[in-house]
Amino acid sequence: MTADLVVAGGGVIGTAIAWRAALAGLDVVLVDPDVGDAASRVAAGMLAPVSEALFGEGALLAINLLAVQRFPSFAAELEDVTGHDVGLRREGTLAIAYDPGDLAALMRLTAFRRSAGLDAEELDSRACRKLEPFLTPDVHGGVVFAGDWSVDNRRYAAALRAAMAAAKVRISRGRVTQARVDGGRVRGVGLADGTVIDSAAVVVAAGCWSGAVAGLPAPLRAAVRPVKGQLLRLRHPEGFPPVISHTIRATVRGADVYLVPRADGEVIVGATSEERGPDRTVTAGAVHDLLRDAMSVLPVTSELILAETCAGLRPGTADNGPIVGGCGVDGLLLATGHYRNGILMSPVTADAILAALTGQPPAAQWAPFTPQRFTAEPAAAGPKGHQAR
């Protein structure tokens, strides 16, 4: 088998890249044993550059802001091409504090976010409950971050798969184990079953499994690790009114929990962050803690149906930032390490990879997130002379 481009990984990052590359005229093969069954399936779909902005992560905030600006037009094109509604919601995030200590921590973060030029509207307890009437009266206050949105992660992933199919991306249900490199350039990939695919370019977008691909520089194979996250999917009983209209991000006695509404009546509750390696088991303790904290701020949660418990593996890096770009081998690119922001960053990551493949510079906000921060080697982008048709 031959192709212009092989994409290793079928999550939202890989499928977004494959779709955009095919639209640009490249012959694309996407390789994944379980296309669609990735970290993005076990996600809340928050597009939250503002409420997730933290001290010392200015570069990450900049790329996340670029990502949220890009998302609406990308989603609109995706819906137009496929006819799929991706469930984009723009109501914003309501961050709330359960007790005085939680409120003090929230106000410190709010001051920082305002200093970065982000919109934040402080609310007292009464105003929080006016906005979301089912909140407990015990809430001490909150902040509305209007710049945060959300999308239905499963609808979005399904739309990307449909867009790939419409663009004639070929799918190989295997696992890439090796990027074949010869003479300083990539020549294609080898799969676990012995299949070889020849190509002028390879993008490794295999999430937390990216380091399993031989041929990548050794520092990059060790740069991404799995970070376990458990979450719950709740459903309204028949005839039950929606219990929230905004994404609610709550701090409850120092612990964080979020509740994300869906148009179909679901509420996503999440999520843990656990350094347990490639463990995808659901634990009773995590279910208990998530429900306890959710019910502390939204007591009506106890009346919803527990529809699903699930666990996924986020691709984490040492600095919480993605790894996107050429990695010192001509034609071999990396698009991984998106941690909690894979869905948010999928459109701009696809843009950056397509720019590299066609010899164009990526957006300036990507400069801190190249593979070279781990290898200290010069980047080699797309294959020399290879342009989209």
Side-chain angles (χ1 to χ4, degrees), residues 104-116:
L106 176 58
M107 290 302 104
R108 287 193 294 272
L109 275 173
T110 300
F112 157 70
R113 290 162 183 165
R114 280 181 170 151
S115 73

Side-chain angles (χ1 to χ4, degrees), residues 19-237:
W19 175 43
R20 303 309 290 186
L23 285 185
L26 299 181
D27 177 25
V28 182
V29 174
L30 181 140
V31 183
D32 194 291
D34 302 297
V35 177
D37 186 19
S40 49
R41 179 172 173 78
V42 185
M46 292 186 297
L47 312 177
V50 183
S51 64
E52 292 199 350
L54 298 175
F55 300 103
E57 293 187 349
L60 187 58
L61 172 61
I63 193 64
N64 282 341
L65 289 173
L66 178 69
V68 83
Q69 292 164 7
R70 173 70 171 104
F71 204 94
S73 61
F74 186 90
E77 184 177 353
L78 194 57
E79 290 180 336
D80 184 59
V81 166
T82 65
H84 290 228
D85 179 359
V86 301
L88 183 62
R89 300 179 65 115
R90 309 187 190 211
E91 292 90 347
T93 293
L94 172 61
I96 57 175
Y98 182 73
D99 65 22
D102 298 330
L103 184 60
L106 176 58
M107 290 302 104
R108 287 193 294 272
L109 275 173
T110 300
F112 157 70
R113 290 162 183 165
R114 280 181 170 151
S115 73
L118 305 176
D119 290 336
E121 179 188 359
E122 293 180 27
L123 304 177
D124 62 17
S125 176
R126 184 184 298 273
C128 288
R129 286 183 287 117
K130 184 176 181 181
L131 202 60
E132 292 291 351
F134 286 103
L135 287 174
T136 176
D138 295 333
V139 168
H140 274 65
V143 180
V144 173
F145 298 109
D148 284 357
W149 301 342
S150 70
V151 70
D152 188 317
N153 58 306
R154 294 185 179 180
R155 291 187 183 189
Y156 178 67
L160 281 171
R161 293 194 298 272
M164 276 202 315
K168 308 301 183 186
V169 173
R170 290 179 285 161
I171 294 176
S172 174
R173 293 192 177 272
R175 186 179 299 279
V176 172
T177 56
Q178 180 183 21
R180 296 167 49 243
V181 177
D182 181 44
R185 62 164 299 127
V186 76
R187 304 293 179 176
V189 298
L191 277 55
D193 65 1
T195 299
V196 171
I197 305 175
D198 295 323
S199 66
V202 173
V203 178
V204 177
C208 69
W209 308 112
S210 296
V213 178
L216 288 173
L220 294 177
R221 297 190 68 185
V224 183
R225 71 187 191 282
V227 181
K228 180 180 178 180
Q230 301 185 58
L231 58 76
L232 316 175
R233 302 178 75 90
L234 309 182
R235 186 173 299 129
H236 294 79

Side-chain angles (χ1 to χ4, degrees), residues 5 13 17 201-205 210 216-217 220 321-338 348-357 360-363 366-375 377-383:
L5 171 67
I13 298 295
I17 291 168
V202 173
V203 178
V204 177
S210 296
L216 288 173
L220 294 177
I323 308 172
V324 175
C327 58
V329 176
D330 187 31
L332 181 58
L333 299 103
L334 204 57
T336 188
H338 294 79
V348 290
T349 299
D351 291 345
I353 293 297
L354 187 59
L357 289 169
Q360 304 299 314
W366 282 111
F369 300 111
T370 67
Q372 284 63 52
R373 72 187 192 277
F374 295 104
T375 65
E377 294 180 1

